[in-house]
Amino acid sequence: MTSFDTSPQLGVGRALLALAVVFVMLATTGWTAVRHHREPSALKASLTSWEHGSMRGRPLPDPHSGPSRLARFFASLTAEERSGLARHYPLAVGNMNGAPVALRYRANRIALGRARDAERARTHDSRLTPTGKREAVRRMHRFESLHDAGRQILAFDPEGSGRVAEVLGDLDVAERISVIVPGVDTDLLTFQRTNRRYSAPVGMAESLYAAERAANPVTRTAVIAWADYTAPAGLGIDSATAMRAEDGAVRLNALLHALPGSAPVSMFCHSYGSVLCGVAARDMPARVADIAVAASPGMRAATAGHLGTGARVWAMRDATDWVQDVPHLEFGGLGHGEDPVSAAFGARVLSARDAEGHSGYFEPGTDSLRNLADIGVGAYDAVRCAHDDDRCRADLTGTSMAERA
């Protein structure tokens, strides 16, 4: 669906502008190969091994079964049997929707330890170029960091640029769950950063988790930093199409449908992550109460109503964010549709004051972070609208300021 105006002349002009932008992107970044991504070999090997395994003389269930069936299977086992499966099939169990989250954490810690050791061995491989050795060292250090005691890794895949998801808080008892979906150039090595900390998924999650606890200390919250999809690399053709978003949407919804409990879920989607959330919205479970996008190039929809979700749709953009200059339309599969902060789109537009550019929305002390945290804990009456009015709070109910005090 396009977001063209009804005027033919204006529509053609916008389409030509979009094509010009795309051609510039291609000239400066080159074509990114459009291909189907095969299942990573390490994960595939673990799943294949699981498929040939057995428990109590009976075959293990199909690892691609629905989460409820897998949950029943794991519930039928003893603690020792569950631990044995995590040791024998760590990547399979660590990425299995339906497995208990604590078991997934344990399995992924085993997988991370093995991946770290493999990269350490690679650093001594004489066949590697100096660049290859530096990359192996970086990966080894990342795996070592993710392996640290206390980290709750919900998904992990070491192949290629890698995929990972981490949980802050206790998912099993959370009363509100927040999921952060990041954008381009997100992979294992950029999952967290020392410099520009709050522009990376881990920093975003840490900042949001702290802000939610400050907004409502009595509400048990959990935050997921979800980088369990293959994000576009840079501003090439992949970032101008929905291919990565469509693949990621399947993975995201598989996770959302498998989350434990019944706590409301709020989605916080940044940059290209908002494209993914827009594609995924129609199939999200009913417990998803909010979809909030920041720095969005579009959500592959002409209006919020066309997303096909019952969730509240929020949008924000800082005045210094370069994404405002991206043509907000879709033409021939290129571009991502209407601007989510426009009146035509119909989202609830939030203040993003002090966010500073494209990557500053989770910086402590900003309106953007305070608004995201208030949404995350359901304190809708506390959010600040973009235009110093109450339009973004119209017809909302939520935790009152008195209840938060």
Side-chain angles (χ1 to χ4, degrees):
M1 183 172 295
T2 67
S3 61
F4 296 149
D5 291 279
T6 55
S7 165
Q9 293 86 357
L10 185 54
V12 171
R14 293 180 68 185
L16 291 173
L17 176 59
L19 289 174
V21 169
V22 170
F23 286 138
V24 169
M25 289 165 60
L26 296 177
T28 57
T29 64
W31 287 91
T32 299
V34 177
R35 60 187 181 276
H36 294 292
H37 296 277
R38 294 176 297 176
E39 192 166 31
S41 58
L43 178 55
K44 185 175 182 180
S46 187
L47 289 168
T48 299
S49 181
W50 170 283
E51 289 168 347
H52 290 88
S54 63
M55 175 67 66
R56 303 175 186 171
R58 301 181 62 182
L60 296 173
D62 183 345
H64 303 293
S65 299
S68 58
R69 182 188 176 194
L70 290 169
R72 288 193 300 272
F73 166 72
F74 283 104
S76 73
L77 304 179
T78 66
E80 184 177 355
E81 287 171 332
R82 287 192 290 270
S83 294
L85 291 175
R87 287 193 304 272
H88 283 95
Y89 315 103
L91 277 173
V93 174
N95 291 279
M96 193 172 291
N97 291 311
V101 292
L103 187 66
R104 292 180 67 169
Y105 300 156
R106 195 182 317 158
N108 282 321
R109 194 161 191 272
I110 294 169
L112 279 159
R114 295 178 183 178
R116 174 202 58 197
D117 294 344
E119 288 299 327
R120 181 181 289 121
R122 286 186 69 237
T123 64
H124 302 292
D125 189 338
S126 60
R127 295 169 297 179
L128 285 182
T129 65
T131 299
K133 287 187 177 182
R134 284 193 296 270
E135 184 77 2
V137 169
R138 290 182 67 202
R139 286 171 61 87
M140 179 188 71
H141 288 158
R142 171 62 70 239
F143 297 152
E144 194 165 38
S145 173
L146 292 171
H147 182 265
D148 284 349
R151 297 194 73 166
Q152 300 180 140
I153 306 303
L154 186 64
F156 167 63
D157 187 343
E159 295 301 320
S161 59
R163 299 193 300 251
V164 62
E166 182 172 12
V167 177
L168 303 181
D170 190 335
L171 271 181
D172 286 318
V173 302
E175 297 169 297
R176 303 280 307 197
I177 298 173
S178 298
V179 181
I180 294 173
V181 182
V184 299
D185 291 328
T186 299
D187 56 29
L188 274 168
L189 294 180
T190 60
F191 187 58
Q192 64 185 96
R193 294 188 178 104
T194 301
N195 297 323
R196 298 175 59 239
R197 172 183 173 187
Y198 302 113
S199 66
V202 171
M204 292 176 178
E206 290 173 341
S207 183
L208 180 62
Y209 187 53
E212 287 182 345
R213 286 181 294 170
N216 191 338
V218 302
T219 297
R220 295 190 300 270
T221 61
V223 177
I224 303 174
W226 189 83
D228 192 24
Y229 82 109
T230 304
L235 298 178
I237 194 67
D238 275 359
S239 65
T241 71
M243 184 186 70
R244 303 287 191 181
E246 289 166 354
D247 291 344
V250 174
R251 301 185 65 81
L252 177 61
N253 276 323
L255 168 74
L256 294 177
H257 283 278
L259 288 175
S262 57
V265 176
S266 295
M267 306 298 304
F268 299 107
C269 317
H270 177 254
S271 192
Y272 188 85
S274 68
V275 181
L276 194 160
C277 287
V279 173
R282 187 173 300 276
D283 296 319
M284 287 180 179
R287 67 190 291 191
V288 174
D290 303 280
I291 302 173
V293 300
S296 177
M299 299 182 72
R300 307 294 292 189
T303 69
H306 288 167
L307 292 171
T309 176
R312 287 170 286 265
V313 181
W314 309 80
M316 62 170 67
R317 185 172 65 221
D318 179 69
T320 63
D321 191 335
W322 57 261
V323 82
Q324 65 188 309
D325 297 321
V326 172
H328 287 94
L329 49 81
E330 181 186 345
F331 183 76
L334 299 174
H336 302 303
E338 185 61 76
D339 184 352
V341 302
S342 70
F345 190 77
R348 300 173 184 273
V349 184
L350 298 160
S351 170
R353 192 173 59 189
D354 302 324
E356 296 184 8
H358 190 67
S359 302
Y361 292 87
F362 291 83
E363 288 281 345
T366 58
D367 265 8
S368 52
L369 178 63
R370 282 189 290 268
N371 277 329
L372 297 176
D374 285 332
I375 291 169
V377 298
Y380 303 115
D381 63 344
V383 299
R384 180 174 294 180
C385 302
H387 305 293
D388 294 323
D389 56 31
D390 295 330
R391 279 180 290 176
C392 74
R393 293 196 301 271
D395 304 318
L396 286 175
T397 59
T399 305
S400 69
M401 295 299 287
E403 289 174 310
R404 297 171 65 206

